[in-house]
Amino acid sequence: MAQRPDTVTEGLEVTREVRIEASPETVFPFFTEPNKLMRWMGVEAELDPQPGGIYRVHVSKDWVACGEFVTVEPFVRVAFTWGWENNVMQLPPGASLIEVTLTPDGDATVVTLRHSRLPDEESVASHTDGWEHFLARLSVAAAGGDPGPDPWASGGTQ
Amino acid sequence: MEAALKAIAEPRRRAILQLVHHAERTAGDIAEHFEVTRPAVSQHLRVLKEAGLVTERRDGTRRWYRARPETIRDLQRFLEDFWDEGLERLKAAAEWEERRKRRGAKT
């Protein structure tokens, strides 16, 4: 049964949680091995899962997420920095932090993904084009261009 | 997000959105900026409102419109959708992998 991930949002970070009917040993490589990562995100991935190693994923043709691994603790946690290469949404490569924690729960694993160090109101306000930029991206998508990441085009990459 | 996309696919609606981004305006005021009829502007505003892109405030017989200004909330919402959909696919892929492993272990 598919279940919606729980929603917890606090301040300038995003925390998502999902329970997966699989062991942490099965789930973990989906964050560190390109072939497995691409089964749920992206069309191309370059991963060097060790502290300081590269994390670069073509989420779609034009959207490239880039950062580096910070923590790699097999089957327990993995953390990496994250941003967009073309600096959309005021989020340049490596700007934000993603921490993934795997917690065993019986035969299942609870995956908690925390996306923090997101830009605050002040830093966005200092970029007067912030909102307009975001709007422009939406417009491109609406006009039939590559809409970028999956949320705008459910059902995978284009 | 999809409703928002559809809403701003129309250039006039994008222009209206820009207009009410920094200031709250009435439908009449908005109409004066464009060579379109009041009903046409009202129709555009309705679409924008339903997509959650503008808020409407009633003041007597007048209605005031303003864009939701929260860039941060847009970014957060975007990332929430992004990770929700990603984690749903992760769940499907990992559970499929687990079943494959367990079948393999039995034989």
Side-chain angles (χ1 to χ4, degrees):
Chain A
M1 282 291 287
Q3 64 186 62
R4 294 295 300 167
D6 291 332
T7 302
V8 188
T9 302
E10 244 183 80
L12 302 171
E13 61 177 60
V14 172
T15 302
R16 299 321 242 191
E17 201 172 280
V18 66
R19 183 186 155 90
I20 297 176
E21 299 295 331
S23 67
E25 287 77 10
T26 298
V27 176
F28 191 81
F30 281 86
F31 287 94
T32 55
E33 293 176 15
N35 286 340
K36 286 193 169 152
L37 182 84
M38 283 188 289
R39 278 166 60 187
W40 67 280
M41 182 169 73
V43 292
E44 207 181 310
E46 189 186 341
L47 306 174
D48 179 15
Q50 56 176 324
I54 194 168
Y55 179 101
R56 190 165 184 268
V57 179
H58 287 247
V59 170
S60 73
K61 191 160 55 72
D62 296 329
W63 288 63
V64 183
C66 190
E68 59 182 46
F69 283 95
V70 177
T71 308
V72 181
E73 206 178 314
F75 318 135
V76 179
R77 83 183 84 246
V78 58
F80 46 91
T81 59
W82 166 287
W84 297 110
E85 280 200 345
N86 53 356
N87 194 16
V88 281
M89 300 184 283
Q90 318 302 338
L91 213 54
S96 63
L97 178 71
I98 292 172
E99 297 163 284
V100 178
T101 311
L102 309 186
T103 310
D105 179 17
D107 287 340
T109 302
V110 174
V111 175
T112 307
L113 185 149
R114 179 167 175 260
H115 195 166
S116 59
R117 293 188 198 164
L118 293 169
D120 56 19
E121 286 285 1
E122 206 172 313
S123 71
V124 168
S126 71
H127 295 85
T128 51
D129 66 338
W131 194 83
E132 284 80 3
H133 194 167
F134 181 80
L135 191 65
R137 295 295 307 189
L138 279 173
S139 308
V140 169
D146 187 330
D150 290 334
W152 296 350
S154 54
T157 50
Q158 307 223 318
Chain B
M1 195 59 101
E2 209 176 313
L5 283 179
K6 282 180 183 158
I8 62 166
E10 152 69 39
R12 185 84 70 200
R13 284 201 285 270
R14 288 205 293 277
I16 291 174
L17 211 43
Q18 296 286 0
L19 201 60
V20 296
H21 180 37
H22 296 292
E24 191 178 34
R25 294 176 191 272
T26 61
D29 182 17
I30 293 164
E32 279 173 20
H33 284 79
F34 304 105
E35 290 176 1
V36 289
T37 62
R38 277 283 295 269
V41 165
S42 295
Q43 171 68 14
H44 285 319
L45 285 168
R46 193 175 60 80
V47 174
L48 289 169
K49 196 179 72 174
E50 282 172 4
L53 292 169
V54 301
T55 57
E56 182 189 76
R57 182 172 67 84
R58 293 187 187 205
D59 172 21
T61 57
R62 287 197 295 188
R63 294 179 187 195
W64 293 80
Y65 297 89
R66 134 159 261 164
R68 289 190 325 105
E70 309 91 334
T71 310
I72 283 298
R73 207 165 296 170
D74 285 338
L75 173 65
Q76 279 202 330
R77 225 175 53 177
F78 174 87
L79 289 171
E80 282 168 7
D81 289 350
F82 181 82
W83 290 120
D84 275 350
E85 296 198 15
L87 291 177
E88 279 296 323
R89 286 194 301 271
L90 168 68
K91 178 179 167 72
E95 289 181 352
W96 184 88
E97 180 74 14
E98 185 81 351
R99 285 194 298 273
R100 195 184 63 85
K101 275 189 184 174
R102 286 179 184 167
R103 273 202 307 275
K106 274 180 202 162
T107 54

